[in-house]
Structures are given as structure tokens and as C-alpha cells.
Amino acid sequence: MKDFISFLKNLKPYRLNVAFNILLNILTALFSVFSLVLIAPFLSILFGLGGKLGQKSFGADSLISKLFDLFSEYIQLNGKSSALVLICSGVVILFFLKNMFAYLSLFYMIPIRNRVVRDLRNKAYEKIVILPLSYYSEHKKGDILTRTINDIQEIEFSIMRPIQSLLRDPISIMFYLIVLMMISYQLTLFVFVLLPLMGLIISTISKSLRRKSTKARMMQSNMLTMIEESISGLKIIKAFNSIPFAETKYQEENEAYTKLNIKIYRKADLSSPMSEFLGTIVMIGILLFGGNLVLGADAALKPEIFITYLVLFSQIINPAKSISTAFYNIRKGLASYTRVEELLNAQEVIIEKTDALAIKSFEKEICFHNVSFAYEDELVLKDIQLTIPKGKTIALVGSSGAGKSTLTDLIPRFYDVTAGQITFDGIPIQDVNIDNLRELIGLVSQETFLFNDSIYNNITFGKTNIPFEEVVKAAKIANAHEFIEQMPNGYHTQIGDRGAQLSGGQRQRVSIARAILKNPPILILDEATSSLDTESEQIVSQAIANIMLNRTSIVIAHRLSTIYHADEIIVLDKGQIIERGTHHELLQQHGTYKKLYELMLQLKTA
């Protein structure tokens, strides 16, 4: 119940629409009740029972009793045939109004349903792009995709659709029960005893439904993760002849998921026949109890009124079935909502201050003051003291896992420091507007990521209304213009998933063109040429040299040939700075840097 109340908060922006929908449902129920109440005078006329129709059963002062009195008077003045036509016409009009308002309630509910789901999708995407990188190293990609796509779709199907029933059917039942109470309070009290028993049985059956649905969502996440990993690692699967192994692993998971779904849907589908059966039991009870009231010595109920009671009560069965089905579905859907809510409530970690300073330029230096960083209690950087002056090139070298990439990730606040402080022109970066900070930084990484779009849109990514000439200029500086011109549609060529239609060197040059177009004063180059062949490396290295002109550059490189001319080289080992200086100064120290340099020379001559 707590989770359902939490979900209802999503309806808050549409509360006026919901209120209007409830009003339409009230009108629907009202006209539905009155259309069926007319059965009593119809039966009285048809079978010639005569007399005052309503006083004994409804109370002399009730609205329905007065309505029946009017019919009695009309019969006396105009005859039974005329009264019959009038009643039939009244039923047609009332049913028309009932169905018109019923359609209007659905008409105005459909946008609410879809917009709530739209809002959840938007919130989920906003959360995905704002969560820190550490979140994605702890969670499976398939699980995140399942939550943002399948779980939200399940919410639309299992919660938003049944909500229409919850807004409509209780109102209908309430109106019918009021009239039933007016007809016979003894009979209606008897019904009130049986209905809670129906609810208790349905609730008991549905308790495990949410638990099983949660498990099914997790298994679906695992399957999606397996598919995503299989596509990404298809070369490895084929190279190791592991297709049968991968298929068997997926089929086992799929079989377990299928069996669990069979159990879930069997239990969910039990709601309708169960509620119908229980409704039949209640109806038989009413026939027995009410029949005695009609046949008793004092004839507490007239036959036509009892028949009207039965018809009115029969109209409660379908709404009751609908509510029980909605109850089952909502239980099932809340399992998905809980998973989506976990994503939406995930800790952002990188939080911008409300009074963050807006900065538009980089003027002096970036300083690391005794900076340490730990990831899941594992110390990655320890006591880093480093100054990066404006216009200088700082190179970071060291073995894999030394902390080079982590150090550069702290500058645009992909992570926040565990201890110490980083200042940007003397201002702690936690006090700086994050968008302003990142606008001043360009990134070219080893793992180049291009979107499944055109080359033009990849270069202009994040920017709008960029003149075509500016894009061409950036591509020329990145040594990319020549190969782009040779593509089938030039700059408007679609390059496939992650730029699959381009070579590694071409992808890297498009990535560099993207950074050049951004024109940032600070540039981070994270092993930008380490995965390229010799020819591509030379072309990309020239492009990198072009982009580094008149910029503050932080370069991570395994190939020391790319950093000979750096203003300062920082050697890292196990998260600590162990050496620093220019290329020639470090060679004279006969330390780790010289060993790396000599090893590189040996590899080159081998």
C-alpha cells in the first residue's frame, strides 16, 4: 500500500484532470443507477400490479419514491401504454447519457495514463545521464535498460490502466449500494457481510504475486544483459567456438523466466473467475434471503422491487470483478515501479551547490592540493600535489592501474575527491557550476564513442545551429576532412552503431574534430593513440598536435614518443606521484621513467 501511495504522487501534476475524470465517473454511475431503477415501474405496469410503487420500499420521502409517485399519477391520467413508452424513452436517454459520460471519462483518462508514463521515462533518462560513472561499474547495463524500458512499460499496463477501474468502479458500487440500502437495508447488510469475505480471499491469493513479479523483472534484466554482452563480445564468442555454450546459457535463463511467467499469469488470470464465482455465491445468498422477504407473511418486499434489487446488484458484480483484477495487476505492476523508483532514488553523489559560481573562462591554473581518491574502499590516488598552469602541457605516465585516468576524471567532476581539494583558478571545483566547468574541458579518450548517426551530427554533438563551414574547418584540423569527403554521403553518411563503419583511426579523428569544434581551453587526451596502427597513429598524432596549440593539455600516454615535448611529465605508481620533470630531466634521474623509456626503445627495435 505504501508503494502504491508513493506511485500516486506521479498523478499530482494532473490532479485537476483526475478530479474531472472522477466527476464524469460520478455522472456515469448516477445515470446508470437511475436507468435501472426504472425497471420497477416498468414491471408494475407490465404485470398490472398497480398501487403506490415506491413508498414501502424506498421510504415515503425519498427521491425515488417521489419519482415513482409521478409515474403512478401519469398512469392514471394517460394510461399504461403511454406510461410504458415514457419509461422506455427515459431508459434510452439515461443509457445514452451514461455511456456518453463513460466514454468521456476514458477520453480524458488516456492522456493522463500516457503522460505519467512519459514523465517516468523522462525522469529515468535524466537520472541515467546525471548519475556518476561509478554507478555503472556497480550495476549491469541490462538491468538499467530493463528498468527504463520494460519496467516502465509494465507500469503503464499493470498500474495506469487499472487505475481507471479504481477511479470508476468504487463510485459505481457506492451508488448502487446506496440505492440497494434504500430498497432493503436488511438485504444490503447481508451483502456487506459477504463482500469483505470475497475481498479477503482475493487478497490472500494475490499476496505472492508481487514477489514473483519482482523476481521475473530481475531475470528479464539478466537476459537483456546476456544479449547486450553477446552482441558486444560476438568476436570472442565466435573465435572461441562458444556459440553452443552461449546459447545453452541463454536458453536456461529463458526457460526459468518462462516457467516463472507461467506461474505469474496463471495466478493473475485467477482473479476474474474467482471473483465471478464468489459473486455468484453472494447472488444465491441474496436470492435465498430476499426470496424469504418477498414470500414472508408481511411481504417486506414487493416482487417488482426485489427483481429491481437483483438487477441493481448484478451491476455490482462486474465492477467488483474489475476491481479485483485491477488489484492483482497493480500488485504485479508495483514490483516494476519499485525497481524504477530505486533507479530514480539512486544517490547522485556529484551534487552541484545551489549557489554554485558561474565561470566562463580559464585564466590561471588547476591545482591538486593533497588529493586522495578511493573507490569502494580501495585507495586509487594518494596525496596528489600537482599544479597545471594555463597554456602548459602536462603528461601522465605509469603502468596500468597507476591512477592516471582517475586523476583526469576528477577535473571535470566525473568523480569527487575523497580527501584534499582541487581548485580551478583558485576556486574549489565543488563551488563551480558543473556545466560551466565541463564546457571549458574537451575530452579525447582511447575508447572513442560515436553515436549511430551521421558524421556531421557526431562532430556537432551537443551544439545546435553550427555553420557547415565550421564543421569542415574542425575536420580539416583533425585530418578527417579527406576521408569524410570520400564517404558515400560525405558528412551526412550514417556511420552505424558506435561508428562501426569507420576504422579506428577514422573514429579517433572524428572524435578529435568534435573536441576541436567545442574549442575548449583545456584538453584531456586519454591514451588517444594507443590502440591505433603506426600509420593511423601518425595521422592522429598530427591532429592531436594541431588541437593542442595554445591550449592547456593533460595527456595520458603509454607511447612516450607522444609526450617528449611536454612541459612536465608526471610519473604515477600505485596512485602516488613518484617522479616529475621534463623528458630529459627524468632520463637523468635513472628511475621508473627511464626504465619505461628503455623498454619502449627495445620494443621499437625488436
Side-chain angles (χ1 to χ4, degrees):
M1 189 64 183
K2 183 180 177 182
D3 288 335
F4 185 60
I5 292 171
S6 174
F7 174 79
L8 290 179
K9 293 177 183 176
N10 293 287
L11 294 173
K12 192 174 180 180
Y14 310 103
R15 54 188 178 275
L16 292 178
N17 306 68
V18 172
F20 185 57
N21 178 268
I22 292 172
L23 175 62
L24 291 170
N25 286 327
I26 290 172
L27 291 172
T28 301
L30 194 63
F31 286 114
S32 178
V33 168
F34 274 109
S35 63
L36 295 175
V37 163
L38 292 179
I39 290 174
F42 174 83
L43 292 173
S44 180
I45 294 168
L46 192 63
F47 296 109
L49 297 173
K52 295 286 186 180
L53 296 171
Q55 289 182 4
K56 184 173 180 181
S57 298
F58 294 98
D61 296 325
S62 71
L63 178 63
I64 298 175
S65 176
K66 290 178 179 178
L67 179 66
F68 283 5
D69 287 344
L70 289 174
F71 276 117
S72 297
E73 292 173 7
Y74 187 87
I75 291 169
Q76 292 174 3
L77 293 173
N78 300 286
K80 291 183 178 181
S81 296
S82 178
L84 198 60
V85 172
L86 177 64
I87 290 172
C88 291
S89 301
V91 170
V92 169
I93 293 169
L94 290 171
F95 265 99
F96 171 78
L97 292 172
K98 170 207 165 184
N99 285 283
M100 181 185 73
F101 286 118
Y103 172 72
L104 287 175
S105 70
L106 291 171
F107 183 86
Y108 286 104
M109 190 62 192
I110 288 171
I112 299 172
R113 273 173 30 196
N114 285 276
R115 283 169 185 159
V116 168
V117 174
R118 175 203 63 189
D119 293 346
L120 283 173
R121 288 197 190 101
N122 287 340
K123 288 176 184 176
Y125 186 79
E126 288 168 7
K127 196 69 176 185
I128 285 171
V129 296
I130 204 170
L131 282 170
L133 300 180
S134 57
Y135 182 86
Y136 298 99
S137 60
E138 299 169 9
H139 295 79
K140 295 178 182 178
K141 189 185 296 182
D143 182 58
I144 295 168
L145 290 173
T146 302
R147 291 173 194 248
T148 54
I149 300 172
N150 296 354
D151 282 323
I152 291 179
Q153 193 60 43
E154 180 67 26
I155 288 168
E156 198 277 333
F157 180 78
S158 296
I159 300 181
M160 289 311 301
R161 290 187 184 183
I163 275 181
Q164 171 63 29
S165 295
L166 295 184
L167 291 176
R168 176 192 64 215
D169 296 328
I171 294 171
S172 297
I173 291 174
M174 181 185 70
F175 272 89
Y176 282 120
L177 286 175
I178 289 171
V179 177
L180 292 176
M181 183 66 77
M182 293 168 64
I183 293 175
S184 173
Y185 73 90
Q186 304 104 313
L187 202 51
T188 308
L189 288 175
F190 175 73
V191 171
F192 277 142
V193 172
L194 295 179
L195 287 179
L197 291 175
M198 290 174 57
L200 182 62
I201 293 170
I202 291 169
S203 177
T204 303
I205 293 171
S206 68
K207 272 186 178 179
S208 65
L209 193 60
R210 180 175 175 181
R211 219 169 32 247
K212 284 184 169 62
S213 295
T214 300
K215 187 178 179 182
R217 297 289 104 193
M218 292 173 65
M219 294 177 73
Q220 191 179 47
S221 298
N222 291 337
M223 290 171 61
L224 193 56
T225 297
M226 291 170 69
I227 292 171
E228 192 275 329
E229 288 178 346
S230 296
I231 293 171
S232 300
L234 198 56
K235 284 185 180 179
I236 300 299
I237 291 174
K238 290 178 181 291
F240 283 82
N241 282 331
S242 296
I243 292 176
F245 172 79
E247 287 178 347
T248 301
K249 188 177 178 183
Y250 180 80
Q251 286 167 3
E252 288 173 353
E253 188 74 19
N254 191 18
E255 180 65 21
Y257 175 67
T258 300
K259 288 180 178 178
L260 184 60
N261 262 339
I262 289 171
K263 292 179 182 178
I264 290 170
Y265 287 117
R266 278 177 174 171
K267 185 161 284 191
D269 288 341
L270 183 62
S271 63
S272 183
M274 176 63 72
S275 57
E276 185 170 344
F277 174 70
L278 293 173
T280 302
I281 291 175
V282 175
M283 180 66 81
I284 295 299
I286 291 171
L287 284 171
L288 289 172
F289 192 85
N292 286 323
L293 292 177
V294 173
L295 299 173
D298 59 347
L301 272 180
K302 289 185 178 182
E304 71 273 21
I305 298 298
F306 180 55
I307 293 172
T308 304
Y309 187 99
L310 290 175
V311 172
L312 287 168
F313 181 78
S314 69
Q315 298 304 302
I316 292 178
I317 294 176
N318 279 335
K321 281 175 58 180
S322 181
I323 289 173
S324 70
T325 303
F327 184 67
Y328 272 78
N329 286 329
I330 287 171
R331 282 262 189 173
K332 182 165 162 279
L334 283 175
S336 291
Y337 178 68
T338 300
R339 286 167 45 80
V340 173
E341 196 173 35
E342 285 174 1
L343 174 65
L344 297 179
N345 293 334
Q347 191 175 1
E348 292 181 16
V349 183
I350 310 298
I351 299 173
E352 183 178 88
K353 292 184 177 179
T354 53
D355 58 347
L357 299 173
I359 56 171
K360 299 298 180 184
S361 62
F362 174 51
E363 301 296 340
K364 298 176 183 177
E365 60 190 14
I366 301 170
C367 292
F368 287 68
H369 304 279
N370 302 105
V371 168
S372 295
F373 176 77
Y375 177 69
E376 291 186 347
D377 300 325
E378 180 184 350
L379 199 61
V380 180
L381 295 173
K382 183 180 179 181
D383 203 26
I384 301 295
Q385 285 273 39
L386 176 63
T387 299
I388 305 171
K390 179 181 179 180
K392 300 295 183 180
T393 297
I394 304 297
L396 304 176
V397 299
S399 59
S400 295
K404 304 182 298 295
S405 296
T406 302
L407 189 149
T408 58
D409 285 344
L410 295 175
I411 298 173
R413 288 192 71 189
F414 295 153
Y415 304 97
D416 270 342
V417 300
T418 306
Q421 189 179 73
I422 301 174
T423 57
F424 191 94
D425 284 344
I427 306 168
I429 60 170
Q430 284 86 355
D431 296 340
V432 174
N433 179 282
I434 294 176
D435 289 342
N436 290 165
L437 176 68
R438 291 174 181 170
E439 189 63 31
L440 299 173
I441 301 171
L443 175 65
V444 180
S445 63
Q446 176 186 1
E447 297 180 3
T448 303
F449 187 91
L450 298 179
F451 296 89
N452 191 352
D453 206 334
S454 67
I455 294 174
Y456 177 89
N457 287 339
N458 270 282
I459 294 175
T460 62
F461 182 74
K463 295 184 176 295
T464 56
N465 302 320
I466 302 296
F468 184 75
E469 295 75 17
E470 292 293 319
V471 177
V472 172
K473 182 180 177 182
K476 286 181 177 178
I477 297 172
N479 289 337
H481 177 70
E482 185 176 341
F483 85 80
I484 293 173
E485 284 287 281
Q486 295 173 359
M487 299 293 285
N489 296 310
Y491 282 83
H492 299 289
T493 300
Q494 299 291 315
I495 58 176
D497 184 41
R498 302 191 180 206
Q501 295 183 21
L502 304 179
S503 69
Q506 289 172 335
R507 288 197 296 270
Q508 196 64 279
R509 280 178 276 167
V510 171
S511 176
I512 292 170
R514 182 166 60 197
I516 291 170
L517 189 68
K518 185 178 181 181
N519 194 26
I522 302 166
L523 186 65
I524 297 175
L525 299 164
D526 188 354
E527 302 182 24
T529 63
S530 62
S531 61
L532 303 179
D533 58 72
T534 304
E535 183 180 355
S536 296
E537 181 190 0
Q538 291 177 349
I539 298 172
V540 173
S541 294
Q542 182 57 51
I544 289 173
N546 294 338
I547 191 178
M548 286 172 62
L549 290 173
N550 303 317
R551 284 184 173 85
T552 304
S553 303
I554 304 151
V555 183
I556 298 174
H558 279 146
R559 299 182 183 181
L560 303 185
S561 58
T562 61
I563 57 168
Y564 288 161
H565 303 293
D567 295 292
E568 186 176 23
I569 299 171
I570 305 297
V571 184
L572 290 167
D573 184 51
K574 296 179 181 178
Q576 293 180 289
I577 297 176
I578 57 172
E579 295 175 13
R580 63 199 310 163
T582 64
H583 172 68
H584 296 292
E585 289 171 349
L586 291 173
L587 289 178
Q588 292 172 5
Q589 291 180 21
H590 301 283
T592 301
Y593 181 82
K594 186 174 182 181
K595 290 178 183 178
L596 291 172
Y597 178 70
E598 290 174 346
L599 180 61
M600 184 197 70
L601 292 178
Q602 290 174 12
L603 292 172
K604 189 175 288 187
T605 56

